[in-house]
mmCIF file of all heavy atoms in Angstrom:
data_model
loop_
_atom_site.group_PDB
_atom_site.id
_atom_site.type_symbol
_atom_site.label_atom_id
_atom_site.label_comp_id
_atom_site.label_asym_id
_atom_site.label_seq_id
_atom_site.Cartn_x
_atom_site.Cartn_y
_atom_site.Cartn_z
ATOM 1 N N GLN A 248 -199.006 -84.717 19.195
ATOM 2 C CA GLN A 248 -198.561 -84.069 20.425
ATOM 3 C C GLN A 248 -198.164 -82.620 20.149
ATOM 4 O O GLN A 248 -198.505 -81.716 20.892
ATOM 5 C CB GLN A 248 -197.382 -84.868 20.988
ATOM 6 C CG GLN A 248 -196.997 -84.469 22.389
ATOM 7 C CD GLN A 248 -197.943 -85.117 23.381
ATOM 8 O OE1 GLN A 248 -199.074 -85.425 23.079
ATOM 9 N NE2 GLN A 248 -197.467 -85.297 24.594
ATOM 10 N N PHE A 252 -199.915 -78.906 21.509
ATOM 11 C CA PHE A 252 -199.263 -77.834 22.257
ATOM 12 C C PHE A 252 -198.813 -76.695 21.363
ATOM 13 O O PHE A 252 -198.019 -75.849 21.759
ATOM 14 C CB PHE A 252 -198.074 -78.377 23.049
ATOM 15 C CG PHE A 252 -198.520 -79.234 24.182
ATOM 16 C CD1 PHE A 252 -198.511 -80.609 24.085
ATOM 17 C CD2 PHE A 252 -198.956 -78.640 25.353
ATOM 18 C CE1 PHE A 252 -198.955 -81.383 25.137
ATOM 19 C CE2 PHE A 252 -199.388 -79.408 26.406
ATOM 20 C CZ PHE A 252 -199.394 -80.772 26.297
ATOM 21 N N PHE A 254 -196.849 -76.522 18.853
ATOM 22 C CA PHE A 254 -195.437 -76.451 18.517
ATOM 23 C C PHE A 254 -195.306 -76.477 17.003
ATOM 24 O O PHE A 254 -196.179 -76.964 16.312
ATOM 25 C CB PHE A 254 -194.672 -77.650 19.092
ATOM 26 C CG PHE A 254 -194.713 -77.717 20.579
ATOM 27 C CD1 PHE A 254 -194.583 -78.938 21.223
ATOM 28 C CD2 PHE A 254 -194.861 -76.568 21.348
ATOM 29 C CE1 PHE A 254 -194.615 -79.000 22.610
ATOM 30 C CE2 PHE A 254 -194.900 -76.623 22.719
ATOM 31 C CZ PHE A 254 -194.787 -77.854 23.346
ATOM 32 N N PHE A 328 -185.710 -96.061 25.516
ATOM 33 C CA PHE A 328 -186.875 -95.730 26.323
ATOM 34 C C PHE A 328 -186.445 -95.287 27.731
ATOM 35 O O PHE A 328 -186.876 -94.240 28.231
ATOM 36 C CB PHE A 328 -187.791 -96.953 26.419
ATOM 37 C CG PHE A 328 -188.974 -96.749 27.292
ATOM 38 C CD1 PHE A 328 -190.112 -96.128 26.794
ATOM 39 C CD2 PHE A 328 -188.955 -97.164 28.617
ATOM 40 C CE1 PHE A 328 -191.212 -95.931 27.611
ATOM 41 C CE2 PHE A 328 -190.058 -96.975 29.431
ATOM 42 C CZ PHE A 328 -191.175 -96.348 28.931
ATOM 43 N N ARG A 332 -187.432 -91.583 28.427
ATOM 44 C CA ARG A 332 -188.814 -91.527 28.925
ATOM 45 C C ARG A 332 -188.966 -91.739 30.424
ATOM 46 O O ARG A 332 -190.062 -91.712 30.933
ATOM 47 C CB ARG A 332 -189.706 -92.556 28.208
ATOM 48 C CG ARG A 332 -189.711 -92.482 26.687
ATOM 49 C CD ARG A 332 -190.366 -91.267 26.103
ATOM 50 N NE ARG A 332 -191.386 -90.713 26.945
ATOM 51 C CZ ARG A 332 -191.588 -89.404 27.086
ATOM 52 N NH1 ARG A 332 -190.826 -88.535 26.472
ATOM 53 N NH2 ARG A 332 -192.534 -88.951 27.865
ATOM 54 N N ARG A 334 -187.685 -91.197 34.668
ATOM 55 C CA ARG A 334 -187.009 -90.300 35.596
ATOM 56 C C ARG A 334 -185.529 -90.615 35.678
ATOM 57 O O ARG A 334 -184.682 -89.742 35.663
ATOM 58 C CB ARG A 334 -187.569 -90.500 36.995
ATOM 59 C CG ARG A 334 -188.910 -89.955 37.181
ATOM 60 C CD ARG A 334 -189.263 -90.145 38.622
ATOM 61 N NE ARG A 334 -190.288 -89.173 38.951
ATOM 62 C CZ ARG A 334 -190.694 -88.919 40.166
ATOM 63 N NH1 ARG A 334 -190.172 -89.541 41.179
ATOM 64 N NH2 ARG A 334 -191.607 -88.025 40.375
ATOM 65 N N ARG A 337 -183.681 -89.224 32.861
ATOM 66 C CA ARG A 337 -183.563 -87.783 32.959
ATOM 67 C C ARG A 337 -182.486 -87.392 33.977
ATOM 68 O O ARG A 337 -181.689 -86.484 33.750
ATOM 69 C CB ARG A 337 -184.897 -87.172 33.359
ATOM 70 C CG ARG A 337 -184.794 -85.712 33.630
ATOM 71 C CD ARG A 337 -185.941 -84.933 33.093
ATOM 72 N NE ARG A 337 -186.168 -85.126 31.675
ATOM 73 C CZ ARG A 337 -187.298 -84.823 31.077
ATOM 74 N NH1 ARG A 337 -188.303 -84.324 31.765
ATOM 75 N NH2 ARG A 337 -187.441 -84.997 29.785
ATOM 76 N N TYR A 338 -182.439 -88.102 35.088
ATOM 77 C CA TYR A 338 -181.450 -87.792 36.123
ATOM 78 C C TYR A 338 -180.035 -88.041 35.597
ATOM 79 O O TYR A 338 -179.110 -87.297 35.916
ATOM 80 C CB TYR A 338 -181.698 -88.625 37.372
ATOM 81 C CG TYR A 338 -183.004 -88.317 38.056
ATOM 82 C CD1 TYR A 338 -183.505 -89.128 39.074
ATOM 83 C CD2 TYR A 338 -183.741 -87.195 37.692
ATOM 84 C CE1 TYR A 338 -184.705 -88.844 39.687
ATOM 85 C CE2 TYR A 338 -184.940 -86.901 38.297
ATOM 86 C CZ TYR A 338 -185.422 -87.740 39.298
ATOM 87 O OH TYR A 338 -186.610 -87.447 39.906
ATOM 88 N N PHE A 340 -178.902 -87.698 32.607
ATOM 89 C CA PHE A 340 -178.441 -86.594 31.754
ATOM 90 C C PHE A 340 -178.300 -85.300 32.551
ATOM 91 O O PHE A 340 -177.351 -84.536 32.331
ATOM 92 C CB PHE A 340 -179.364 -86.421 30.552
ATOM 93 C CG PHE A 340 -179.121 -87.480 29.506
ATOM 94 C CD1 PHE A 340 -179.779 -88.693 29.569
ATOM 95 C CD2 PHE A 340 -178.188 -87.282 28.521
ATOM 96 C CE1 PHE A 340 -179.511 -89.692 28.643
ATOM 97 C CE2 PHE A 340 -177.926 -88.261 27.573
ATOM 98 C CZ PHE A 340 -178.598 -89.475 27.644
ATOM 99 N N ASN A 345 -174.579 -81.205 34.929
ATOM 100 C CA ASN A 345 -174.224 -80.363 36.063
ATOM 101 C C ASN A 345 -174.492 -81.141 37.357
ATOM 102 O O ASN A 345 -175.587 -81.081 37.909
ATOM 103 C CB ASN A 345 -175.055 -79.073 36.027
ATOM 104 C CG ASN A 345 -174.590 -78.063 37.066
ATOM 105 O OD1 ASN A 345 -173.904 -78.414 38.024
ATOM 106 N ND2 ASN A 345 -174.967 -76.818 36.883
ATOM 107 N N GLU A 350 -177.683 -82.552 42.296
ATOM 108 C CA GLU A 350 -177.684 -82.865 43.733
ATOM 109 C C GLU A 350 -178.555 -81.842 44.484
ATOM 110 O O GLU A 350 -179.382 -82.198 45.319
ATOM 111 C CB GLU A 350 -176.251 -82.846 44.253
ATOM 112 C CG GLU A 350 -176.091 -83.071 45.739
ATOM 113 C CD GLU A 350 -176.264 -84.528 46.126
ATOM 114 O OE1 GLU A 350 -175.822 -85.407 45.360
ATOM 115 O OE2 GLU A 350 -176.868 -84.787 47.188
ATOM 116 N N LEU A 351 -178.370 -80.555 44.165
ATOM 117 C CA LEU A 351 -179.132 -79.504 44.842
ATOM 118 C C LEU A 351 -180.621 -79.590 44.515
ATOM 119 O O LEU A 351 -181.452 -79.170 45.305
ATOM 120 C CB LEU A 351 -178.593 -78.129 44.471
ATOM 121 C CG LEU A 351 -177.183 -77.808 44.979
ATOM 122 C CD1 LEU A 351 -176.710 -76.471 44.443
ATOM 123 C CD2 LEU A 351 -177.162 -77.801 46.504
ATOM 124 N N ALA A 352 -180.938 -80.154 43.350
ATOM 125 C CA ALA A 352 -182.354 -80.305 42.989
ATOM 126 C C ALA A 352 -182.996 -81.426 43.781
ATOM 127 O O ALA A 352 -184.181 -81.667 43.655
ATOM 128 C CB ALA A 352 -182.474 -80.590 41.487
ATOM 129 N N GLY A 353 -182.205 -82.103 44.572
ATOM 130 C CA GLY A 353 -182.771 -83.138 45.431
ATOM 131 C C GLY A 353 -182.672 -84.530 44.826
ATOM 132 O O GLY A 353 -183.257 -85.463 45.349
ATOM 133 N N GLY A 411 -172.789 -85.587 30.003
ATOM 134 C CA GLY A 411 -174.029 -84.930 29.668
ATOM 135 C C GLY A 411 -174.555 -85.162 28.256
ATOM 136 O O GLY A 411 -175.704 -84.873 27.983
ATOM 137 N N PRO B 87 -180.255 -81.881 50.368
ATOM 138 C CA PRO B 87 -181.280 -81.021 49.762
ATOM 139 C C PRO B 87 -182.679 -81.638 49.775
ATOM 140 O O PRO B 87 -183.669 -80.930 49.865
ATOM 141 C CB PRO B 87 -180.776 -80.844 48.337
ATOM 142 C CG PRO B 87 -179.304 -81.024 48.425
ATOM 143 C CD PRO B 87 -179.101 -82.053 49.472
ATOM 144 N N ARG B 88 -182.742 -82.944 49.681
ATOM 145 C CA ARG B 88 -184.060 -83.604 49.700
ATOM 146 C C ARG B 88 -184.770 -83.368 51.026
ATOM 147 O O ARG B 88 -185.967 -83.099 51.077
ATOM 148 C CB ARG B 88 -183.889 -85.103 49.463
ATOM 149 C CG ARG B 88 -184.137 -85.530 48.038
ATOM 150 C CD ARG B 88 -183.527 -86.897 47.771
ATOM 151 N NE ARG B 88 -182.072 -86.780 47.714
ATOM 152 C CZ ARG B 88 -181.225 -87.571 48.379
ATOM 153 N NH1 ARG B 88 -181.671 -88.527 49.144
ATOM 154 N NH2 ARG B 88 -179.933 -87.388 48.260
ATOM 155 N N LYS B 91 -186.141 -79.854 51.150
ATOM 156 C CA LYS B 91 -187.357 -79.704 50.340
ATOM 157 C C LYS B 91 -188.561 -80.317 51.066
ATOM 158 O O LYS B 91 -189.680 -79.852 50.951
ATOM 159 C CB LYS B 91 -187.153 -80.354 48.974
ATOM 160 C CG LYS B 91 -186.368 -79.472 48.044
ATOM 161 C CD LYS B 91 -185.992 -80.219 46.761
ATOM 162 C CE LYS B 91 -184.743 -79.631 46.147
ATOM 163 N NZ LYS B 91 -184.899 -78.242 45.718
ATOM 164 N N VAL B 104 -178.777 -74.723 37.640
ATOM 165 C CA VAL B 104 -179.690 -75.354 36.702
ATOM 166 C C VAL B 104 -178.940 -76.460 35.961
ATOM 167 O O VAL B 104 -177.724 -76.396 35.829
ATOM 168 C CB VAL B 104 -180.274 -74.342 35.682
ATOM 169 C CG1 VAL B 104 -181.255 -73.422 36.346
ATOM 170 C CG2 VAL B 104 -179.158 -73.549 35.015
ATOM 171 N N ASN B 107 -178.068 -79.180 30.378
ATOM 172 C CA ASN B 107 -178.341 -79.847 29.105
ATOM 173 C C ASN B 107 -179.721 -80.478 29.028
ATOM 174 O O ASN B 107 -179.968 -81.345 28.222
ATOM 175 C CB ASN B 107 -177.262 -80.881 28.788
ATOM 176 C CG ASN B 107 -177.068 -81.825 29.934
ATOM 177 O OD1 ASN B 107 -177.606 -81.612 30.996
ATOM 178 N ND2 ASN B 107 -176.325 -82.886 29.704
ATOM 179 N N GLY B 117 -186.156 -83.776 39.744
ATOM 180 C CA GLY B 117 -186.270 -84.405 41.067
ATOM 181 C C GLY B 117 -187.713 -84.612 41.502
ATOM 182 O O GLY B 117 -187.952 -85.333 42.468
ATOM 183 N N GLU B 119 -190.522 -85.017 39.007
ATOM 184 C CA GLU B 119 -191.175 -85.111 37.718
ATOM 185 C C GLU B 119 -192.621 -85.569 37.837
ATOM 186 O O GLU B 119 -192.963 -86.365 38.731
ATOM 187 C CB GLU B 119 -190.429 -86.079 36.796
ATOM 188 C CG GLU B 119 -189.093 -85.574 36.292
ATOM 189 C CD GLU B 119 -188.011 -85.623 37.333
ATOM 190 O OE1 GLU B 119 -188.253 -86.170 38.435
ATOM 191 O OE2 GLU B 119 -186.898 -85.109 37.084
ATOM 192 N N THR B 126 -193.936 -93.390 33.234
ATOM 193 C CA THR B 126 -193.017 -92.695 32.338
ATOM 194 C C THR B 126 -193.183 -91.199 32.536
ATOM 195 O O THR B 126 -194.167 -90.723 33.109
ATOM 196 C CB THR B 126 -193.287 -93.047 30.865
ATOM 197 O OG1 THR B 126 -194.616 -92.636 30.571
ATOM 198 C CG2 THR B 126 -193.162 -94.522 30.627
ATOM 199 N N LEU B 127 -192.194 -90.442 32.058
ATOM 200 C CA LEU B 127 -192.246 -88.996 32.200
ATOM 201 C C LEU B 127 -193.424 -88.438 31.406
ATOM 202 O O LEU B 127 -193.631 -88.807 30.247
ATOM 203 C CB LEU B 127 -190.957 -88.379 31.639
ATOM 204 C CG LEU B 127 -189.673 -88.714 32.393
ATOM 205 C CD1 LEU B 127 -188.478 -88.152 31.644
ATOM 206 C CD2 LEU B 127 -189.738 -88.179 33.802
ATOM 207 N N ASP B 129 -194.053 -85.539 29.807
ATOM 208 C CA ASP B 129 -193.433 -84.287 29.348
ATOM 209 C C ASP B 129 -194.472 -83.247 28.973
ATOM 210 O O ASP B 129 -194.285 -82.054 29.205
ATOM 211 C CB ASP B 129 -192.520 -84.556 28.154
ATOM 212 C CG ASP B 129 -191.164 -85.075 28.608
ATOM 213 O OD1 ASP B 129 -190.717 -84.655 29.689
ATOM 214 O OD2 ASP B 129 -190.558 -85.886 27.893
ATOM 215 N N ALA B 130 -195.595 -83.715 28.399
ATOM 216 C CA ALA B 130 -196.618 -82.750 27.977
ATOM 217 C C ALA B 130 -197.180 -82.034 29.193
ATOM 218 O O ALA B 130 -197.300 -80.806 29.205
ATOM 219 C CB ALA B 130 -197.722 -83.492 27.224
ATOM 220 N N GLU B 133 -194.581 -79.680 30.615
ATOM 221 C CA GLU B 133 -194.343 -78.499 29.797
ATOM 222 C C GLU B 133 -195.502 -77.522 29.910
ATOM 223 O O GLU B 133 -195.309 -76.299 29.972
ATOM 224 C CB GLU B 133 -194.120 -78.877 28.341
ATOM 225 C CG GLU B 133 -193.777 -77.656 27.515
ATOM 226 C CD GLU B 133 -193.103 -77.984 26.214
ATOM 227 O OE1 GLU B 133 -192.565 -79.093 26.080
ATOM 228 O OE2 GLU B 133 -193.109 -77.129 25.332
ATOM 229 N N ARG B 137 -195.175 -73.771 31.251
ATOM 230 C CA ARG B 137 -195.600 -72.602 30.501
ATOM 231 C C ARG B 137 -196.464 -71.689 31.363
ATOM 232 O O ARG B 137 -196.367 -70.466 31.299
ATOM 233 C CB ARG B 137 -196.393 -73.032 29.258
ATOM 234 C CG ARG B 137 -195.497 -73.456 28.130
ATOM 235 C CD ARG B 137 -196.282 -74.120 27.014
ATOM 236 N NE ARG B 137 -195.365 -74.669 26.031
ATOM 237 C CZ ARG B 137 -194.956 -73.989 24.966
ATOM 238 N NH1 ARG B 137 -195.388 -72.781 24.724
ATOM 239 N NH2 ARG B 137 -194.096 -74.538 24.147
ATOM 240 N N ARG B 169 -188.743 -72.632 39.357
ATOM 241 C CA ARG B 169 -188.522 -73.923 39.961
ATOM 242 C C ARG B 169 -188.776 -73.884 41.462
ATOM 243 O O ARG B 169 -189.355 -74.792 42.051
ATOM 244 C CB ARG B 169 -187.060 -74.311 39.695
ATOM 245 C CG ARG B 169 -186.723 -75.671 40.028
ATOM 246 C CD ARG B 169 -185.233 -75.883 39.869
ATOM 247 N NE ARG B 169 -184.856 -76.727 40.964
ATOM 248 C CZ ARG B 169 -185.248 -77.986 41.074
ATOM 249 N NH1 ARG B 169 -185.975 -78.526 40.134
ATOM 250 N NH2 ARG B 169 -184.931 -78.686 42.125
#
Side-chain angles (χ1 to χ4, degrees):
Chain A
Q248 191 80 334
F252 289 99
F254 297 154
F328 177 83
R332 305 292 332 142
R334 287 184 157 190
R337 173 139 305 162
Y338 295 168
F340 283 87
N345 189 341
E350 177 76 37
L351 292 175
Chain B
R88 262 161 287 131
K91 282 172 206 296
V104 288
N107 53 351
E119 288 76 7
T126 60
L127 295 174
D129 279 327
E133 184 161 342
R137 280 170 188 268
R169 190 186 141 67

